[in-house]
Amino acid sequence: MHAEFEKLAREAAAANESYEQYLLRLTELEVAARASNALQARIRAADFPVHKDFDTFDFTAVPALNKPKMLELARGEWIEQRANACLIGSPGTGKTHCAVALGLAACRLGKRVRFYTAAALVTRLEEAQKQYQLDRVLNQLDRTDLLICDELGYLSFSRAGAELLFQVFADRYERRSLLVTSNLAFSEWGQVFQGERMTAALLDRLTHRCHIFEMNGESFRFRESMKSKKNKKSE
Ligand code: ADP
Ligand code: MG
């Protein structure tokens, strides 16, 4: 308001506006600026690794992906319902891209989002435990409406790491949303979590009320690099 009041007053005087109209316009400007700052702060706090949105996502490249359902999720009702989402598929099929796009959509809806790779999340939890800060970190995670856990399955964890991740997933069950991406089919998650019992208990919670997307297909990265090689050859 401080930055704009003089300019708006001049404009209002020139346009012969009433004081109420001027005040309304000034207040609207302030409200819009605050909303935009708050959104930027939420996006920063989410700590996305890249900024990818649905406008740059080519749905025709992944015919197996249910586009209407994905765009439906971008409307955020699933987060209100404390449901989960899983994006499962081979590398390069756009899982991280869609996870970030869903995260951005949630930020725009005023949700608190936090993005981690599974490996970084486990490291964070293990470090916190070592420093007797685990409760604090768990509380921080608990305050997020949507926790994104990317790349589950590329690395397997120690027993203790797997247990910490299990604790986070189980804590969120029916209270907060979780989005997990993985290159592994559910039947292979035992490799990551070690122990049939823990894997079964975890999958049971995660997949109850879960939107599951299968994103298998050719790698987008691979396809793009083949395309550019072909173009170079034909040049
Ligand atoms: P994944 O996480 O499944 O391994 P990424 O989401 O990281 O794959 O995708 C790899 C790269 O290809 C990224 O730069 C991403 O933006 C791009 N990409 C993947 N799929 C698509 C798509 N369908 N349309 C546009 N870009 C895509
Ligand atoms: Mg990825």
Side-chain angles (χ1 to χ4, degrees):
M1 284 175 113
H2 186 256
E4 298 291 336
F5 78 98
E6 284 172 327
K7 182 170 148 261
L8 278 192
R10 278 197 302 276
E11 285 171 10
N16 228 350
E17 276 179 9
S18 69
Y19 181 70
E20 285 80 1
Q21 281 170 315
Y22 161 67
L23 198 59
L24 183 64
R25 285 220 286 152
L26 190 59
T27 314
E28 280 171 348
L29 208 66
E30 171 71 19
V31 169
R34 284 189 187 200
S36 149
N37 289 345
L39 172 60
Q40 289 315 315
R42 279 194 300 278
I43 292 174
R44 264 197 313 278
D47 203 16
F48 297 115
V50 286
H51 276 238
K52 301 262 175 169
D53 221 330
F54 285 122
D55 61 350
T56 56
F57 193 76
D58 177 8
F59 280 92
T60 62
V62 242
L65 181 63
N66 186 339
K67 175 178 174 181
K69 200 173 149 192
M70 183 61 82
L71 295 180
E72 166 73 35
L73 254 62
R75 300 222 308 261
E77 272 156 40
W78 66 291
I79 301 173
E80 305 284 342
Q81 295 158 356
R82 285 111 171 86
N84 296 327
C86 284
L87 315 182
I88 311 287
S90 38
T93 49
K95 298 183 298 298
T96 300
H97 190 135
C98 287
V100 170
L102 286 175
L104 280 170
C107 287
R108 289 188 196 110
L109 292 165
K111 306 288 178 207
R112 281 157 306 192
V113 179
R114 186 68 170 82
F115 186 107
Y116 277 104
T117 63
L121 180 56
V122 167
T123 306
R124 177 100 175 92
L125 295 168
E126 284 176 330
E127 290 289 310
Q129 193 172 42
K130 262 187 230 151
Q131 294 159 4
Y132 305 101
Q133 301 269 321
L134 186 59
D135 281 345
R136 203 175 58 87
V137 172
L138 290 176
N139 278 332
Q140 276 171 5
L141 291 175
D142 203 50
R143 281 199 292 273
T144 61
D145 302 299
L146 172 63
L147 175 65
I148 301 177
C149 181
D150 195 27
E151 295 186 353
L152 190 84
Y154 283 117
L155 298 170
S156 59
F157 312 114
S158 66
R159 177 86 200 179
E163 276 168 11
L164 286 168
L165 197 61
F166 175 81
Q167 192 183 338
V168 170
F169 282 22
D171 269 1
R172 296 185 79 82
Y173 176 61
E174 293 201 314
R175 299 178 43 251
R176 304 259 181 254
S177 293
L178 189 60
L179 191 168
V180 178
T181 83
S182 180
N183 60 317
L184 298 179
F186 290 131
S187 58
E188 298 166 315
W189 281 30
Q191 299 163 22
V192 183
F193 281 99
Q194 309 174 18
E196 294 288 313
R197 282 229 309 265
M198 188 156 57
T199 312
L202 179 115
L203 280 175
D204 194 46
R205 286 167 179 79
L206 181 69
T207 58
H208 177 215
R209 304 206 304 140
C210 184
H211 302 277
I212 298 169
F213 294 88
E214 289 192 29
M215 302 188 51
N216 277 313
E218 216 181 334
S219 160
F220 194 84
R221 292 188 197 103
F222 183 70
R223 265 224 309 226
E224 292 290 291
S225 61
M226 289 312 277
K227 248 194 247 165
S228 60
K229 267 186 206 142
K230 256 191 224 147
N231 289 346
K232 267 186 205 137
K233 264 187 205 154
S234 59
E235 269 166 19

